[in-house]
Amino acid sequence: MIRGIMYIILSGMAFFVVNFFVKMLGNPDNSIIPDLQKYPAHELVFFRSLVSFTISAVIIKYRGLSLLGNNRRWLFLRGTAGMIALTLFFFTLHKLPLAIASTLQYLSPIFTVLIASSLFGEKVSKVQYISSVIAFTGVVFIGLNGLLSGFGNQGPDLFWMFMGVISAVLSGVAYNAISKLKETEETINIVIYFPMLALPLTGIWCLFDFTFPKGAEWLILLTIGVFTQIAQVLMTRAFLAANTAIVAPFQYIGAIYALFSGWFIFDEKLELASLFGVCLVVSGVILGTLFRNKKEAKRLDEAQLETQSEILS
């Protein structure tokens, strides 16, 4: 369980690096690196997928694995849902203020737990529901100032806000698909389905709207691809190593990464609402972890007593 939690936290850090550079290339006028070109979201998905597919294919060939895996129906669902979710999220990063786009994306753990509970029969306790709600409320407070400022300036695009919610739902579907694949697939087989499906679709799309990279932009695009690969592998390992309901809430910590990076890198001041949100996120995650540890310890004790009774009898 601890391993799964560590994987998801490190995955969130890697995803933050990706989101940082995606936002930078989508809004080059506000970039800390001068003279960057503006890239459409689907082109960023294409380059990200190209790097990820190349790395994954080399690993699969080296290990002598099947490219298509075993449970292809669930692999296809994971790849399709993840591809659409990421593409929509990249668009929301370009179309909406960062606080709003991030807040919408961090709805995904809530949908992950709800889908796992309602469709797949995974047991989710009341305390886990409460801890998820607390953490989600913290995310809302973290993005509150951005939401208010956005609505004060003609308001954000409601269509892209809706697309952000759809992205979060599809992310929840993808995460649950990963859990369903834990018994039949290698991590790298799960990871490669995303770029394998995304490359042809975004490649065709790029034919109509393509920005040719130059200079440091090649390095930024490579960084997006490499860190996405790292994030995907770590996230997949997290959901393979632990129950979905345990791992999912820790994705909220990514909101804290974004908040503090804004403070130290972009000199953004922490408002009271944001500080309160950080406390809520941490409290929600700690509550869920402590309860789960206590429940797991009780289960192990009961199993040990049952084993000893069988031996004595």
Side-chain angles (χ1 to χ4, degrees), residues 125-187:
S125 68
K126 291 182 179 179
V127 175
Q128 285 175 306
Y129 276 122
I130 293 172
S131 65
S132 293
V133 170
I134 292 174
F136 169 71
T137 304
V139 173
V140 172
F141 271 95
I142 289 173
L144 185 61
N145 293 320
L147 286 167
L148 292 176
S149 63
F151 280 109
N153 185 21
Q154 299 180 347
D157 191 321
L158 293 180
F159 172 78
W160 287 111
M161 290 189 69
F162 178 71
M163 289 297 102
V165 175
I166 297 299
S167 173
V169 173
L170 290 173
S171 294
V173 173
Y175 298 151
N176 277 282
I178 292 173
S179 295
K180 286 294 181 180
L181 293 165
K182 66 175 63 177
E183 301 296 334
T184 62
E185 307 300 327
E186 296 286 341
T187 300

Side-chain angles (χ1 to χ4, degrees), residues 87-307:
T87 303
L88 289 177
F89 177 53
F90 277 13
F91 270 107
T92 60
L93 283 173
H94 288 186
K95 303 291 185 179
L96 298 173
L98 182 58
I100 299 176
S102 299
T103 299
L104 294 174
Q105 184 61 23
Y106 286 121
L107 290 170
S108 60
I110 292 291
F111 291 119
T112 301
V113 173
L114 292 177
I115 293 170
S117 175
S118 60
L119 296 184
F120 304 127
E122 191 168 295
K123 293 183 180 179
V124 182
S125 68
K126 291 182 179 179
V127 175
Q128 285 175 306
Y129 276 122
I130 293 172
S131 65
S132 293
V133 170
I134 292 174
F136 169 71
T137 304
V139 173
V140 172
F141 271 95
I142 289 173
L144 185 61
N145 293 320
L147 286 167
L148 292 176
S149 63
F151 280 109
N153 185 21
Q154 299 180 347
D157 191 321
L158 293 180
F159 172 78
W160 287 111
M161 290 189 69
F162 178 71
M163 289 297 102
V165 175
I166 297 299
S167 173
V169 173
L170 290 173
S171 294
V173 173
Y175 298 151
N176 277 282
I178 292 173
S179 295
K180 286 294 181 180
L181 293 165
K182 66 175 63 177
E183 301 296 334
T184 62
E185 307 300 327
E186 296 286 341
T187 300
I188 200 65
N189 284 114
I190 300 174
V191 170
I192 200 172
Y193 259 76
F194 183 116
M196 188 164 58
L197 295 174
L199 270 177
L201 295 176
T202 56
I204 294 173
W205 197 347
C206 284
L207 294 176
F208 302 94
D209 185 9
F210 185 77
T211 300
F212 194 84
K214 63 178 183 179
E217 293 166 1
W218 285 107
L219 179 59
I220 294 175
L221 292 170
L222 180 63
T223 300
I224 290 174
V226 171
F227 272 82
T228 301
Q229 178 76 2
I230 294 171
Q232 287 284 332
V233 170
L234 289 172
M235 182 195 68
T236 302
R237 287 186 178 275
F239 282 97
L240 293 178
N243 184 288
T244 304
I246 300 173
V247 172
F250 282 86
Q251 292 175 297
Y252 287 119
I253 297 177
I256 301 178
Y257 301 153
L259 186 63
F260 281 99
S261 67
W263 186 12
F264 290 109
I265 297 176
F266 300 107
D267 196 29
E268 297 173 349
K269 303 301 180 183
L270 289 174
E271 301 293 339
L272 181 61
S274 297
L275 286 172
F276 182 61
V278 170
C279 293
L280 285 178
V281 172
V282 174
S283 299
V285 170
I286 291 176
L287 175 64
T289 303
L290 291 178
F291 175 80
R292 184 67 190 187
N293 286 342
K294 182 178 179 181
K295 185 177 180 181
E296 186 68 15
K298 182 179 179 181
R299 186 188 67 80
L300 291 175
D301 289 341
E302 292 175 349
Q304 186 176 6
L305 289 174
E306 183 178 349
T307 301

Side-chain angles (χ1 to χ4, degrees), residues 49-91:
S49 301
L50 181 62
V51 175
S52 181
F53 180 81
T54 302
I55 296 173
S56 299
V58 169
I59 294 174
I60 286 176
K61 182 176 178 59
Y62 176 78
R63 296 178 59 184
L65 300 173
S66 168
L67 180 66
L68 299 180
N70 300 307
N71 194 339
R72 296 173 186 177
R73 182 180 66 176
W74 279 99
L75 284 168
F76 183 82
L77 176 62
R78 181 266 179 273
T80 303
M83 173 187 64
I84 299 174
L86 183 71
T87 303
L88 289 177
F89 177 53
F90 277 13
F91 270 107

